[in-house]
Amino acid sequence: MNPYKPRRNPLDRRSHTSDMTEGNLNRLESCLDQPTDSSSIHEVIKYTPSVLPARHYDVDTTEPISCGLQTLDELLSWNRSEANPFNVAAVPLAPREPPLASSPRRTLVSHDMMGGYLDDRFTQGTSAEAPYAFYHWQYIDIFNYFTHKLVTIPPAVWTNAAHKHGVSVIGTFITEWTDGAAACEAFLKEEESYRAVADKLVQISHYYGFDGWLINVENILSEVAVKNTPLFLRYLTDQMHERVSGSLVLWYDSVTENGQLNWQNELNQTNRVFFDACDGFFTNYNWTEQNLETMKDYSGIQGRTADVYVGVDVFARGKVVGGMLETNKALEVIRRHGFSAAVFAPGWVYETNDDKTEFRKNQDMFWALLSDYLYVHRPASPLPFISSFCQGFGKAVFWRGKKETMRSWFNLTAQEIQPLYYRTQLGGHGWLRSRGCPEDAWNGCCSLLLDGLIPASHTSPVCAKIFSLYVALPSQTLVSFIYKPSAGITVSLELKTTDVCTQTDIDDARRDVSPEVLDGGHPLVRQFSQLCGDLNPDGWTVRCSQLEHSGCSLRELCVSIQRSGDPQDTPFSCRVGEIMLLDVASLQVPPEPLQGLCIFDVVWLHGAGTSPESTSPFLRLNATLRWDYQTKLVRHFRVYWRRLRGPDPRVPPGQLVLVGRAYSNLFRVTELAVPEPPALLELVVEPVIRNGFLVPESHWGRRSLSSPSHFSCFNHCS
């Protein structure tokens, strides 16, 4: 569901049936299937049951949803032609520094949330009032989506958000108890059967765009099955490495080499055979420090200490170290012994707190407790670097400082690169805090709020670190900084750089650089303003600066806050709306036109009634749009409709009405109220490109729908 309308009650669902001049086809027809020289597709609106697969679409609205696979038969019969295109990740795994493979102590988060596939199952977002979200990506290396289905396919919204931050995403293959034992005996009986399962897992990961699997066998295995398990793991791991770059297969500490279900809480000789066959080992949670000391001296690790992920149950179930608001105690012990950590169910901060409005506060507090034992990795993508700090959920959607809609929404794909969130002391009673602010934003759902107190004794500028980066800078960089400060302070942007050849994190190797602020008459500012259009900041300060440096990389991006009056205790706040760094050479690159817009999988809902005889003056259109565009260039696509002809007192002819935002080249329009025949309307797709430059309307995609007494789809898409 797109974030611009609330969920509705179930309506009378109807699909269209094509009535083609070449003959009645009685199936959903795609414009893509028609000859390019065909002038139109004529379809009579008939009210017949939808043929869309229910497992991929919400039964009430036809909103696309994600789901897992329950049985071995479902897994073995999976094929790409019947897969869910809406759950394909739109964002590839971004580069990061250090790379995962060379990170000596990693952090995995296993997201086990109330059975899974909740608000996050809606691949286009939903209007959830108080959803769970995650935005401390810089602290973690691997994200595991966990449920108790046989095959858990991560929802695309999680994969997209994680990939933007260079975090790998793995699904879960789990067998449990009696049914799990039967499934294992079936697929681990011989080479052909275990290879068939592994091949399907590889195909699923490759198709949906995530990065691997956690294999969790929690049932007894027969002698034959346990003998074949390491062979299955090795084959799966090898095939994943071949098909998915940077992929991972991890094994959970449950079964031992004799096939018994006997959690060891450590890596040892009884379970090493599984560790040797894959990329890593996820221990059970009831370990003691003695277990870690034993593992540290265990020869079977053979230099793979980072591949051992010591499990931490945040719910603190059983006899565990730490957990809940003492999870930091477990992390301290794990890091002291040099192991990676697997933080299980950090959604505890959400599930156990009745007041969901306090979620951001509780989430920030929890991760702040762990921060001393977590290691920040840095985005390492080339320019442009852009963030408006959107966390992917909120009470409104902002666009260029104004509220575009006033409604609760949730879509993690909308999440921008996240900053560092923290609180620190400034000496004496002074302090500085960095947190998300949903009350005001430039783009998306929230701004970054820097607030605190500058004590009278503090005379130097306060440096608030926003991002830790590893980005090579071109010879000329244009910096756009949008902010809203409180009275009594001055604010500027400060960059810390090093030589490109400098491979060190030593602070002394970094240079503080303040970009040259440009006045409004500077040629670069005029050119930038023409490309972006009227920003109309309405209380926001938009400052453009230029940085001229060659052969250096950006390591830190900071906001410098200075008291503007006499020394005294000075409370302050500064909302940062957006930071953007562009290669000046990119200002010359014209935007691309959107091409190939087509409409298919049309389903009609008859007004607000429950039968085709409803007297409502509107039909409700449900249809899938597909187009061609380089998604790496865009923030999102804005999907509109407008009435060109026909009765509709709600909307003047030609006025664009926003339907929703798309984050890939695929979008499902759902429950769009359109006039009854006769009418002519148009669906329009606008690319909103990352650098903020406006795309001329001539480059948008459009397609008309005509309904005199039938439905026509005209082939004049651009």
Side-chain angles (χ1 to χ4, degrees):
M1 177 175 294
N2 73 62
Y4 301 99
K5 61 178 184 297
R7 297 295 306 277
R8 304 180 69 250
N9 292 328
L11 301 179
D12 184 36
R13 184 175 299 98
R14 301 292 185 259
S15 68
H16 75 271
T17 303
S18 301
D19 190 8
M20 308 297 292
T21 55
E22 290 79 12
N24 294 334
L25 300 181
N26 291 324
R27 65 179 178 87
L28 294 180
E29 193 71 28
S30 168
C31 298
L32 292 171
D33 298 332
Q34 305 312 309
T36 56
D37 59 351
S38 174
S39 61
S40 65
I41 301 168
H42 299 287
E43 299 173 334
V44 176
I45 297 174
K46 296 181 180 178
Y47 294 96
T48 56
S50 169
V51 300
L52 295 174
R55 66 184 179 279
H56 297 326
Y57 295 87
D58 179 63
V59 295
D60 294 335
T61 63
T62 80
E63 284 280 353
I65 57 175
S66 55
C67 63
L69 305 176
Q70 297 276 23
T71 67
L72 200 57
D73 286 342
E74 278 188 78
L75 172 61
L76 293 172
S77 62
W78 184 92
N79 62 77
R80 293 173 63 95
S81 64
E82 297 177 3
N84 181 1
F86 288 97
N87 200 44
V88 175
V91 181
L93 182 60
R96 47 168 278 183
E97 178 63 33
L100 178 64
S102 59
S103 297
R105 289 168 292 185
R106 306 167 194 151
T107 304
L108 178 151
V109 160
S110 189
H111 176 67
D112 177 30
M113 171 67 78
M114 302 165 64
Y117 298 111
L118 303 173
D119 296 321
D120 55 9
R121 75 185 185 279
F122 291 98
T123 59
Q124 295 183 169
T126 187
S127 56
E129 288 289 334
Y132 174 83
F134 184 80
Y135 45 85
H136 290 84
W137 295 106
Q138 73 277 7
Y139 286 142
I140 78 168
D141 303 285
I142 304 165
F143 179 83
N144 166 233
Y145 196 81
F146 184 94
T147 76
H148 289 273
K149 298 181 184 296
L150 178 74
V151 178
T152 299
I153 300 169
V157 295
W158 283 104
T159 306
N160 290 331
H163 277 184
K164 288 178 187 178
H165 295 84
V167 173
S168 299
V169 176
I170 61 176
T172 306
F173 177 79
I174 185 171
T175 61
E176 299 176 283
W177 316 124
T178 304
D179 289 344
C184 286
E185 295 309 311
F187 87 87
L188 290 170
K189 63 184 178 183
E190 59 188 6
E191 181 178 5
E192 181 181 2
S193 56
Y194 72 66
R195 285 194 172 208
V197 166
D199 287 342
K200 289 298 182 182
L201 293 177
V202 173
Q203 292 167 23
I204 289 170
S205 177
H206 184 265
Y207 176 81
Y208 287 115
F210 61 95
D211 309 296
W213 296 97
L214 170 66
I215 307 299
N216 186 358
V217 175
E218 296 205 59
N219 48 259
I220 294 174
L221 297 176
S222 69
E223 183 179 351
V224 171
V226 76
K227 179 182 177 181
N228 283 329
T229 298
L231 302 177
F232 160 68
L233 281 174
R234 173 48 57 198
Y235 178 75
L236 172 62
T237 303
D238 289 345
Q239 293 301 305
M240 284 296 303
H241 290 177
E242 183 176 328
R243 294 289 298 278
V244 179
S245 176
S247 59
L248 293 164
V249 175
L250 306 182
W251 173 261
Y252 178 67
D253 164 26
S254 50
V255 174
T256 55
E257 62 182 353
N258 62 7
Q260 295 303 303
L261 183 60
N262 190 358
W263 298 270
Q264 298 295 293
N265 301 299
E266 66 178 25
L267 175 66
N268 58 34
Q269 198 59 34
T270 70
N271 51 34
R272 174 185 168 182
V273 64
F274 309 114
F275 174 61
D276 289 344
C278 65
D279 295 308
F281 186 87
F282 184 148
T283 78
N284 190 45
Y285 312 104
N286 300 116
W287 48 268
T288 65
E289 188 165 3
Q290 181 60 51
N291 292 114
L292 305 192
E293 291 173 354
T294 300
M295 281 197 296
K296 192 173 182 179
D297 297 330
Y298 177 49
S299 62
I301 289 181
Q302 298 176 339
R304 294 182 61 193
T305 305
D307 296 334
V308 177
Y309 301 83
V310 179
V312 179
D313 181 10
V314 178
F315 276 82
R317 290 162 287 203
K319 189 176 181 180
V320 300
V321 176
M324 297 187 281
L325 292 181
E326 294 186 339
T327 299
N328 57 307
K329 294 183 177 180
L331 266 292
E332 188 277 327
V333 177
I334 292 168
R335 299 311 196 196
R336 182 154 30 93
H337 289 81
F339 292 106
S340 295
V343 181
F344 187 78
W348 172 84
V349 300
Y350 176 89
E351 292 187 54
T352 59
N353 196 306
D354 292 334
D355 187 359
K356 305 304 184 190
T357 63
E358 294 290 305
F359 167 64
R360 279 188 174 92
K361 175 183 174 182
N362 295 329
Q363 175 94 321
D364 292 346
M365 176 181 63
F366 176 80
W367 287 97
L369 289 171
L370 305 187
S371 61
D372 287 344
Y373 310 106
L374 302 172
Y375 306 100
V376 172
H377 67 264
R378 301 178 290 274
S381 297
L383 296 187
F385 176 84
I386 302 160
S387 182
S388 56
F389 312 103
C390 178
Q391 293 176 336
F393 69 106
K395 300 295 184 184
V397 177
F398 293 81
W399 178 245
R400 293 188 168 182
K402 299 184 183 300
K403 289 181 179 177
E404 190 173 74
T405 59
M406 276 295 296
R407 190 169 292 129
S408 296
W409 66 283
F410 169 69
N411 188 343
L412 283 175
T413 301
Q415 200 174 83
E416 302 265 348
I417 297 292
Q418 292 298 290
L420 299 167
Y421 296 105
Y422 57 89
R423 179 183 173 118
T424 188
Q425 295 301 119
L426 296 178
H429 54 279
W431 55 277
L432 166 68
R433 178 174 54 179
S434 163
R435 59 192 174 97
C437 173
E439 285 76 34
D440 199 2
W442 180 252
N443 286 328
C445 72
C446 64
S447 56
L448 176 66
L449 178 60
L450 304 173
D451 62 353
L453 175 71
I454 304 174
S457 58
H458 197 100
T459 57
S460 59
V462 173
C463 182
K465 186 194 296 187
I466 305 301
F467 292 106
S468 183
L469 304 168
Y470 194 91
V471 178
L473 294 175
S475 58
Q476 286 186 299
T477 303
L478 179 67
V479 182
S480 171
F481 178 38
I482 301 175
Y483 62 100
K484 187 182 290 187
S486 60
I489 59 171
T490 58
V491 176
S492 61
L493 209 56
E494 185 175 291
L495 283 60
K496 296 182 184 295
T497 66
T498 61
D499 293 336
V500 169
C501 59
T502 302
Q503 302 294 325
T504 179
D505 284 326
I506 299 174
D507 288 341
D508 290 345
R510 301 180 184 179
R511 297 193 302 269
D512 292 344
V513 178
S514 297
E516 176 192 357
V517 178
L518 306 177
D519 62 42
H522 192 281
L524 271 182
V525 177
R526 291 203 305 270
Q527 185 180 9
F528 180 71
S529 299
Q530 289 171 356
L531 291 168
C532 292
D534 182 15
L535 295 180
N536 191 19
D538 192 22
W540 292 88
T541 298
V542 179
R543 177 181 293 173
C544 288
S545 306
Q546 183 179 10
L547 181 66
E548 294 193 16
H549 278 274
S550 59
C552 69
S553 65
L554 177 61
R555 293 301 185 91
E556 289 182 10
L557 205 158
C558 307
V559 172
S560 178
I561 302 169
Q562 174 77 55
R563 181 193 298 109
S564 56
D566 296 331
Q568 59 180 322
D569 287 353
T570 306
F572 70 91
S573 68
C574 178
R575 289 181 172 87
V576 184
E578 183 174 84
I579 296 175
M580 179 161 56
L581 283 77
L582 304 175
D583 185 347
V584 169
S586 71
L587 303 184
Q588 314 297 328
V589 180
E592 295 186 356
L594 187 145
Q595 298 179 336
L597 176 60
C598 285
I599 304 172
F600 56 103
D601 284 354
V602 176
V603 175
W604 293 99
L605 305 178
H606 196 286
T610 57
S611 72
E613 290 73 33
S614 169
T615 59
S616 169
F618 301 107
L619 293 173
R620 295 193 179 271
L621 171 65
N622 302 261
T624 296
L625 309 183
R626 179 187 290 143
W627 57 86
D628 297 321
Y629 205 83
Q630 290 192 58
T631 53
K632 68 179 181 179
L633 300 176
V634 300
R635 265 188 165 143
H636 57 265
F637 300 91
R638 295 160 68 88
V639 180
Y640 307 91
W641 82 280
R642 62 181 163 196
R643 178 173 65 95
L644 300 180
R645 186 178 66 245
D648 189 346
R650 303 169 305 160
V651 182
Q655 177 178 314
L656 288 173
V657 180
L658 184 65
V659 177
R661 291 181 175 185
Y663 295 87
S664 71
N665 290 341
L666 197 66
F667 184 75
R668 181 98 184 139
V669 175
T670 58
E671 300 183 277
L672 176 61
V674 299
E676 289 271 14
L680 177 66
L681 61 97
E682 186 175 51
L683 293 170
V684 180
V685 179
E686 174 195 6
V688 178
I689 56 179
R690 294 183 63 213
N691 56 20
F693 302 166
L694 298 178
V695 177
E697 242 188 280
S698 60
H699 285 40
W700 300 3
R702 61 193 73 248
R703 188 175 275 276
S704 297
L705 305 177
S706 174
S707 54
S709 58
H710 56 271
F711 172 96
S712 302
C713 182
F714 291 100
N715 280 303
H716 63 264
C717 56
S718 55

